[in-house]
Amino acid sequence: RKEVEQDPGPFNVPEGATVAFNCTYSNSASQSFFWYRQDCRKEPKLLMSVYSSGNEDGRFTAQLNRASQYISLLIRDSKLSDSATYLCVVNSNFGNEKLTFGTGTRLTIIP
Amino acid sequence: DAMVIQNPRYQVTQFGKPVTLSCSQTLNHNVMYWYQQKSSQAPKLLFHYYDKDFNNEADTPDNFQSRRPNTSFCFLDIRSPGLGDAAMYLCATFQRGAGAQYFGPGTRLLVL
């Protein structure tokens, strides 16, 4: 089993729709969780950190379920500019500098 | 405003010809990483430095070496590039104990 698993997609979603991604992780000791966004041929960029209580940043909401070991990302009112690959990223121990990346979920927003 | 800078952005080399990629950071982070990313794959960690302490991944080929002469700079040396080494090479930084990793724009390597 992979340490971090994501549905690779692609997700093709009409503009304005709501889209949700899930990600599961295998290490129950994992401490930090992130969603990164990667545009084609560009570097990954931090979209948001994921906190136990869940967190929201504008149209984006991230949730963490430690019991089930999954992380979710919800995008509301999707825009064309949201088209990208979304990477689920997990850090196993606090202060540990190694991250484990999922293979990413590719999202295309259709006009 | 650039925080993690990579040079060059594109590098073309010949099969077997050594190449060096560079990374610099203005964040004063104590950890620096090199990743290799191929198309439609997740970034693959090659090695990282915590300050001057070098940490090599077990499956990183000996062909890949790294140097970190000071906090701000880190280099990736590919001693004898093969066709399979063509990829995007990403440098990232991290401050241990806080936050997330920040990536540079990457160097796209082409091996002819």
Side-chain angles (χ1 to χ4, degrees), chain B residues 11 13 31 45 47-48 51-52 65:
Chain B
Q11 176 73 57
T13 190
V31 190
L45 182 64
F47 23 59
H48 73 281
D51 288 332
K52 290 189 176 295
Q65 304 284 319

Side-chain angles (χ1 to χ4, degrees), chain A residues 32 34 36 38 40-46 49 87 91 94-99 101-104 106, chain B residues 31 33 35 37 41-43 45 48 50 55 57 88 90 94 96-97 99-105 108:
Chain A
S32 304
F34 309 92
Y36 278 75
Q38 187 170 26
C40 187
R41 302 175 74 83
K42 297 287 183 70
E43 75 275 23
K45 291 187 177 177
L46 179 66
S49 302
L87 297 163
N91 180 322
F94 181 76
N96 184 337
E97 57 270 19
K98 286 178 63 172
L99 298 180
F101 286 79
T103 53
R106 186 165 178 181
Chain B
V31 190
Y33 311 77
Y35 290 88
Q37 188 177 27
Q41 296 182 19
L45 182 64
H48 73 281
Y50 172 54
N55 298 271
E57 292 301 296
M88 171 84 95
L90 294 160
F94 174 70
R96 185 181 262 195
Q101 289 188 14
Y102 293 90
F103 285 83
R108 188 164 293 277

